[in-house]
Amino acid sequence: MLDREYDNQVCSIARSLEVVGERWSLLIIRNVGLGMNRFEPLRENLGITRSVLTTRLGTLIEYGILEKRQYSEKPPRFEYHLTAKGRDLSPVLLQLMWWGDEYYPEPGGPPTIAVHRTCGGDLDHHMVCRKCGESVEPDRVYMKPGPGRNKQDLPKIPA
Amino acid sequence: MLDREYDNQVCSIARSLEVVGERWSLLIIRNVGLGMNRFEPLRENLGITRSVLTTRLGTLIEYGILEKRQYSEKPPRFEYHLTAKGRDLSPVLLQLMWWGDEYYPEPGGPPTIAVHRTCGGDLDHHMVCRKCGESVEPDRVYMKPGPGRNKQDLPKIPA
DNA sequence: AGGGTCAGTCGCATGAACGAACTGACCGGG
DNA sequence: CCCGGTCAGTTCGTTCATGCGACTGACCCT
């Protein structure tokens, strides 16, 4: 990057990390983005304590990254969904994903691939679609399982 | 991103976060990338404990993100530098920066701007150079202070 | 000899996370 | 009607990571 002088903590990265830098936050955001919207599945998948999940969901809601929706009245049950602000974190998650794939690859290939929603091509690490060449905006991306994914879980994605 | 089913923790993001997800790690990487290569300046800038900085530097070295170089023999003194693996985290840092600028802007504008080293143009959030249109690789990027930067600190960068 | 810097280590107090149990509102079956 | 089960939490005790401050040791300068 640079090899020059440097100054103060007026830093956008530090501000971002205050919001999403806590343990579990980015993984929660990722899972919610993939459609895992309820408490118990999140808890089980992440292997996280209920209390920690409760507080993380709470702070992410405070920050406007998630919103809580009630989907059942009689037993009060809730779902968590990404806001636009939360969805805009997908480039961060994608870059983390690509870095991980580069330096800690799964033997069988990447477990997850980013796909351009409108044309179905997959993305390179500049978020340019390899098929149509378009520079893809965060909300036009979805994820699909790649070759490194576990055995029998191949949820067919409606292309 | 997606609103579909989801599976297991075979996740590149989780793997990445195990390496760089600890408190302070990304900020240390950012500062080292900006040329802050020594212990005491890092400590002072981050407002971090010496012991925590020591252990963070240690694990980042273990992970191959930083390397330690001795620059003085007689009083043994060291510098920390990014490896290629560490430099490849810059897209992650850039995306975090842009997200922070978007949702937590500095009143005077962004404090830091990403610049294409070879032509001097600045980058959009696809890492495409606004001047020459090239899709810029991580190691061709440097940072320069933007309008939101603190008063008197304007290190002139050799373009 | 005395003060200052740099790069740490050590010890103690506080705070966050983990594990496991408990709650409370429901549902479905026998 | 009682029993077991799910879902979304809360509470509690223990461990682990951080923060704060002091101390060390090797120098350097005056």
Side-chain angles (χ1 to χ4, degrees), chain A residues 32-52:
Chain A
V32 171
L34 287 166
M36 185 176 282
N37 299 306
R38 299 182 183 182
F39 190 93
E40 205 50 35
L42 283 168
R43 208 225 92 233
E44 198 189 352
N45 172 272
L46 296 171
I48 187 183
T49 326
R50 289 174 215 280
S51 62
V52 174

Side-chain angles (χ1 to χ4, degrees), chain B residues 96-112:
Chain B
L96 274 171
M97 190 184 89
W98 284 318
W99 187 84
D101 286 338
E102 176 80 13
Y103 289 101
Y104 300 93
E106 282 292 312
T112 310

Side-chain angles (χ1 to χ4, degrees), chain B residues 9-23:
Chain B
Q9 210 59 350
V10 191
C11 172
S12 328
I13 296 172
R15 287 199 304 285
S16 302
L17 287 175
E18 262 179 55
V19 179
V20 296
E22 285 174 309
R23 208 141 137 63

Side-chain angles (χ1 to χ4, degrees), chain A residues 30-87:
Chain A
R30 158 184 174 276
N31 282 9
V32 171
L34 287 166
M36 185 176 282
N37 299 306
R38 299 182 183 182
F39 190 93
E40 205 50 35
L42 283 168
R43 208 225 92 233
E44 198 189 352
N45 172 272
L46 296 171
I48 187 183
T49 326
R50 289 174 215 280
S51 62
V52 174
L53 180 55
T54 304
T55 62
R56 278 300 165 281
L57 290 171
T59 62
L60 289 173
I61 288 166
E62 268 182 50
Y63 286 134
I65 289 169
L66 297 181
E67 56 177 3
K68 191 173 188 170
R69 293 183 200 158
Q70 188 154 16
Y71 71 92
S72 156
E73 186 77 27
K74 290 306 315 164
R77 292 296 141 81
F78 304 95
E79 283 184 342
Y80 300 90
H81 290 267
L82 290 182
T83 62
K85 183 172 171 183
R87 280 190 296 276

